Amino acid sequence: MGVLTRFKDIMSSNINALLDKAEDPEKMTDQCLRNLNSDLGRVKSETAVIMADEQRARRKLDECTDEINKIQNYAAKAVSAGNDNDARLFLEKKQDLLAKQAELQQVYNAAHANSENMRAMNDKLVKDIAKLEERRNTIKAKMNIARTQEHINEMVSGHDGANSSISAFERMEEKADHMLDKANAMAELDNTSHDTIDSLKAKYDSEPGVNSGVEDELAALKASLGK
Protein backbone atom coordinates (compact mmCIF):
# COMPACT_ATOMS: atom_id res chain seq x y z
CA MET A 1 0.00 0.00 0.00
CA GLY A 2 1.44 3.38 -1.06
CA VAL A 3 1.94 6.11 1.47
CA LEU A 4 -0.52 8.43 -0.26
CA THR A 5 -3.23 5.78 -0.12
CA ARG A 6 -2.61 5.55 3.65
CA PHE A 7 -2.99 9.30 4.09
CA LYS A 8 -6.41 9.09 5.79
CA ASP A 9 -5.33 6.23 8.08
CA ILE A 10 -2.20 8.04 9.19
CA MET A 11 -3.90 11.40 9.66
CA SER A 12 -6.85 9.93 11.58
CA SER A 13 -4.80 7.62 13.79
CA ASN A 14 -4.88 8.40 17.50
CA ILE A 15 -1.80 7.17 19.30
CA ASN A 16 -3.25 7.77 22.76
CA ALA A 17 -6.39 5.80 21.91
CA LEU A 18 -4.32 2.87 20.67
CA LEU A 19 -2.27 2.84 23.86
CA ASP A 20 -5.33 3.10 26.10
CA LYS A 21 -6.84 -0.01 24.47
CA ALA A 22 -3.61 -2.02 24.54
CA GLU A 23 -3.38 -5.00 26.90
CA ASP A 24 0.37 -4.47 27.16
CA PRO A 25 1.06 -0.70 26.76
CA GLU A 26 4.83 -1.19 26.90
CA LYS A 27 4.92 -3.62 23.96
CA MET A 28 2.33 -1.57 22.08
CA THR A 29 4.43 1.59 22.55
CA ASP A 30 7.55 -0.05 21.15
CA GLN A 31 5.59 -1.54 18.24
CA CYS A 32 3.94 1.82 17.47
CA LEU A 33 7.33 3.52 17.48
CA ARG A 34 8.72 0.94 15.05
CA ASN A 35 5.70 1.38 12.76
CA LEU A 36 5.80 5.17 12.92
CA ASN A 37 9.53 5.35 12.22
CA SER A 38 9.07 2.97 9.30
CA ASP A 39 6.21 5.12 7.98
CA LEU A 40 8.24 8.28 8.51
CA GLY A 41 11.12 6.89 6.47
CA ARG A 42 8.82 6.10 3.55
CA VAL A 43 6.99 9.42 3.89
CA LYS A 44 10.23 11.39 3.77
CA SER A 45 11.39 9.48 0.71
CA GLU A 46 8.11 9.92 -1.16
CA THR A 47 7.74 13.52 0.02
CA ALA A 48 11.07 14.35 -1.60
CA VAL A 49 9.91 12.78 -4.88
CA ILE A 50 6.52 14.52 -4.81
CA MET A 51 8.05 17.88 -3.88
CA ALA A 52 10.39 17.48 -6.85
CA ASP A 53 7.33 16.77 -9.06
CA GLU A 54 5.67 19.90 -7.68
CA GLN A 55 8.74 22.03 -8.40
CA ARG A 56 9.00 20.63 -11.95
CA ALA A 57 5.30 21.28 -12.61
CA ARG A 58 5.67 24.80 -11.22
CA ARG A 59 8.71 25.46 -13.40
CA LYS A 60 6.88 24.32 -16.56
CA LEU A 61 3.88 26.44 -15.66
CA ASP A 62 6.08 29.50 -15.08
CA GLU A 63 7.91 28.89 -18.36
CA CYS A 64 4.60 28.68 -20.22
CA THR A 65 3.37 31.88 -18.55
CA ASP A 66 6.60 33.66 -19.48
CA GLU A 67 6.23 32.48 -23.08
CA ILE A 68 2.66 33.78 -23.19
CA ASN A 69 3.83 37.17 -21.95
CA LYS A 70 6.57 37.24 -24.60
CA ILE A 71 4.15 36.32 -27.39
CA GLN A 72 1.79 39.01 -26.17
CA ASN A 73 4.62 41.54 -26.39
CA TYR A 74 5.48 40.39 -29.92
CA ALA A 75 1.86 40.75 -30.99
CA ALA A 76 1.77 44.25 -29.58
CA LYS A 77 4.95 45.15 -31.43
CA ALA A 78 3.52 43.74 -34.68
CA VAL A 79 0.37 45.81 -34.26
CA SER A 80 2.51 48.89 -33.55
CA ALA A 81 4.49 48.19 -36.70
CA GLY A 82 1.25 47.86 -38.71
CA ASN A 83 1.81 44.15 -39.37
CA ASP A 84 -1.63 42.75 -38.47
CA ASN A 85 -0.92 39.39 -40.07
CA ASP A 86 2.14 38.93 -37.87
CA ALA A 87 0.06 40.01 -34.89
CA ARG A 88 -2.56 37.36 -35.76
CA LEU A 89 0.08 34.66 -35.88
CA PHE A 90 1.41 35.68 -32.48
CA LEU A 91 -2.09 35.77 -31.03
CA GLU A 92 -2.86 32.30 -32.45
CA LYS A 93 0.30 31.04 -30.77
CA LYS A 94 -0.83 32.72 -27.58
CA GLN A 95 -4.15 30.81 -27.71
CA ASP A 96 -2.28 27.52 -27.99
CA LEU A 97 -0.08 28.49 -25.07
CA LEU A 98 -3.10 29.49 -22.98
CA ALA A 99 -4.60 26.01 -23.51
CA LYS A 100 -1.28 24.47 -22.55
CA GLN A 101 -1.10 26.77 -19.52
CA ALA A 102 -4.51 25.56 -18.33
CA GLU A 103 -3.29 21.95 -18.52
CA LEU A 104 -0.04 22.76 -16.74
CA GLN A 105 -2.01 24.59 -14.05
CA GLN A 106 -4.06 21.44 -13.38
CA VAL A 107 -0.90 19.33 -13.21
CA TYR A 108 0.69 21.80 -10.79
CA ASN A 109 -2.44 21.96 -8.61
CA ALA A 110 -2.46 18.16 -8.26
CA ALA A 111 1.28 18.05 -7.54
CA HIS A 112 0.91 20.85 -4.98
CA ALA A 113 -1.99 19.04 -3.24
CA ASN A 114 0.06 15.83 -3.07
CA SER A 115 3.02 17.74 -1.72
CA GLU A 116 0.88 19.39 0.96
CA ASN A 117 -0.54 16.02 1.98
CA MET A 118 2.93 14.54 2.26
CA ARG A 119 4.14 17.47 4.35
CA ALA A 120 1.10 17.08 6.62
CA MET A 121 1.80 13.36 7.03
CA ASN A 122 5.45 14.01 7.71
CA ASP A 123 4.65 16.67 10.34
CA LYS A 124 2.05 14.45 12.05
CA LEU A 125 4.36 11.45 12.15
CA VAL A 126 7.17 13.55 13.62
CA LYS A 127 4.80 14.86 16.31
CA ASP A 128 3.39 11.38 17.04
CA ILE A 129 6.88 9.93 17.39
CA ALA A 130 7.96 12.73 19.72
CA LYS A 131 4.79 12.32 21.78
CA LEU A 132 5.18 8.54 21.94
CA GLU A 133 8.84 8.74 22.94
CA GLU A 134 7.87 11.08 25.78
CA ARG A 135 5.21 8.64 26.98
CA ARG A 136 7.37 5.53 26.56
CA ASN A 137 9.55 6.26 29.58
CA THR A 138 6.49 7.06 31.69
CA ILE A 139 4.73 3.89 30.56
CA LYS A 140 7.77 1.72 31.25
CA ALA A 141 8.19 3.27 34.69
CA LYS A 142 4.53 2.54 35.48
CA MET A 143 4.87 -1.02 34.20
CA ASN A 144 7.92 -1.60 36.42
CA ILE A 145 5.99 -0.28 39.43
CA ALA A 146 3.05 -2.54 38.52
CA ARG A 147 5.32 -5.60 38.27
CA THR A 148 6.91 -4.76 41.62
CA GLN A 149 3.47 -4.40 43.21
CA GLU A 150 2.39 -7.74 41.75
CA HIS A 151 5.51 -9.37 43.22
CA ILE A 152 4.76 -7.81 46.61
CA ASN A 153 1.17 -9.04 46.38
CA GLU A 154 2.43 -12.57 45.67
CA MET A 155 4.76 -12.38 48.67
CA VAL A 156 1.92 -11.12 50.89
CA SER A 157 -0.30 -13.90 49.61
CA GLY A 158 2.44 -16.44 50.38
CA HIS A 159 2.80 -14.98 53.86
CA ASP A 160 -0.93 -15.38 54.39
CA GLY A 161 -0.49 -19.03 53.49
CA ALA A 162 2.30 -19.33 56.05
CA ASN A 163 0.10 -17.66 58.65
CA SER A 164 -2.61 -20.21 57.91
CA SER A 165 -0.10 -23.02 58.36
CA ILE A 166 1.10 -21.53 61.64
CA SER A 167 -2.49 -21.17 62.85
CA ALA A 168 -3.21 -24.78 61.95
CA PHE A 169 -0.03 -25.87 63.81
CA GLU A 170 -1.10 -23.88 66.87
CA ARG A 171 -4.51 -25.53 66.78
CA MET A 172 -2.87 -28.97 66.63
CA GLU A 173 -0.55 -28.02 69.50
CA GLU A 174 -3.50 -26.84 71.56
CA LYS A 175 -5.34 -30.06 70.82
CA ALA A 176 -2.27 -32.10 71.88
CA ASP A 177 -2.02 -30.13 75.14
CA HIS A 178 -5.69 -30.80 75.81
CA MET A 179 -5.24 -34.51 75.20
CA LEU A 180 -2.19 -34.56 77.53
CA ASP A 181 -4.08 -32.74 80.27
CA LYS A 182 -6.93 -35.21 79.94
CA ALA A 183 -4.55 -38.18 80.14
CA ASN A 184 -2.87 -36.75 83.27
CA ALA A 185 -6.26 -36.20 84.88
CA MET A 186 -7.25 -39.79 84.15
CA ALA A 187 -3.97 -41.02 85.63
CA GLU A 188 -4.53 -38.93 88.74
CA LEU A 189 -8.02 -40.37 89.11
CA ASP A 190 -6.67 -43.88 88.72
CA ASN A 191 -4.01 -43.32 91.44
CA THR A 192 -6.59 -41.90 93.81
CA SER A 193 -8.77 -44.96 93.28
CA HIS A 194 -5.87 -47.34 94.07
CA ASP A 195 -4.93 -45.41 97.26
CA THR A 196 -8.52 -45.64 98.49
CA ILE A 197 -8.68 -49.40 97.93
CA ASP A 198 -5.31 -49.94 99.72
CA SER A 199 -6.51 -47.90 102.71
CA LEU A 200 -9.67 -49.95 102.94
CA LYS A 201 -7.65 -53.17 102.79
CA ALA A 202 -5.38 -52.04 105.66
CA LYS A 203 -8.41 -51.11 107.71
CA TYR A 204 -9.93 -54.54 107.49
CA ASP A 205 -6.60 -56.39 107.81
CA SER A 206 -5.98 -55.03 111.34
CA GLU A 207 -7.94 -56.54 114.28
CA PRO A 208 -10.75 -54.45 115.65
CA GLY A 209 -9.96 -52.56 118.90
CA VAL A 210 -6.25 -53.46 118.88
CA ASN A 211 -3.65 -50.71 118.77
CA SER A 212 -0.99 -52.20 116.52
CA GLY A 213 1.56 -49.60 117.60
CA VAL A 214 1.34 -50.48 121.33
CA GLU A 215 1.49 -54.23 120.65
CA ASP A 216 4.56 -53.80 118.52
CA GLU A 217 6.30 -51.73 121.20
CA LEU A 218 5.41 -54.33 123.94
CA ALA A 219 6.84 -57.15 121.88
CA ALA A 220 10.06 -55.23 121.42
CA LEU A 221 10.38 -54.56 125.19
CA LYS A 222 9.92 -58.26 126.05
CA ALA A 223 12.53 -59.21 123.52
CA SER A 224 15.04 -56.87 125.13
CA LEU A 225 14.39 -58.42 128.62
CA GLY A 226 14.78 -61.93 127.40
CA LYS A 227 11.25 -62.85 127.91
Side-chain angles (χ1 to χ4, degrees), residues 160-178:
D160 290 342
N163 286 339
S164 298
S165 298
I166 292 173
S167 297
F169 180 83
E170 289 176 346
R171 288 195 299 272
M172 292 300 100
E173 186 176 19
E174 182 180 354
K175 185 175 181 179
D177 289 342
H178 178 70

Side-chain angles (χ1 to χ4, degrees), residues 66-100:
D66 290 341
E67 186 67 18
I68 290 172
N69 292 333
K70 291 178 181 178
I71 292 297
Q72 180 67 31
N73 289 334
Y74 282 124
K77 289 179 180 180
V79 170
S80 297
N83 297 324
D84 290 351
N85 287 333
D86 291 345
R88 288 188 183 92
L89 291 175
F90 284 125
L91 292 175
E92 287 175 0
K93 178 63 175 177
K94 177 184 176 182
Q95 293 299 317
D96 293 338
L97 289 174
L98 287 173
K100 180 180 179 181

Side-chain angles (χ1 to χ4, degrees), residues 94-165:
K94 177 184 176 182
Q95 293 299 317
D96 293 338
L97 289 174
L98 287 173
K100 180 180 179 181
Q101 183 188 44
E103 293 176 358
L104 291 174
Q105 184 67 53
Q106 291 179 352
V107 172
Y108 170 74
N109 290 342
H112 178 70
N114 288 339
S115 181
E116 288 297 308
N117 287 342
M118 295 304 294
R119 289 192 189 96
M121 275 197 291
N122 181 82
D123 292 344
K124 184 178 188 299
L125 287 172
V126 169
K127 289 180 181 178
D128 284 345
I129 289 172
K131 184 189 303 181
L132 200 56
E133 286 178 343
E134 289 177 359
R135 291 194 61 185
R136 176 171 58 181
N137 292 334
T138 301
I139 290 172
K140 288 190 174 183
K142 289 181 178 179
M143 292 297 291
N144 288 334
I145 292 173
R147 292 190 184 99
T148 301
Q149 186 61 52
E150 288 177 355
H151 181 63
I152 292 173
N153 292 342
E154 290 175 357
M155 292 178 64
V156 171
S157 177
H159 183 66
D160 290 342
N163 286 339
S164 298
S165 298

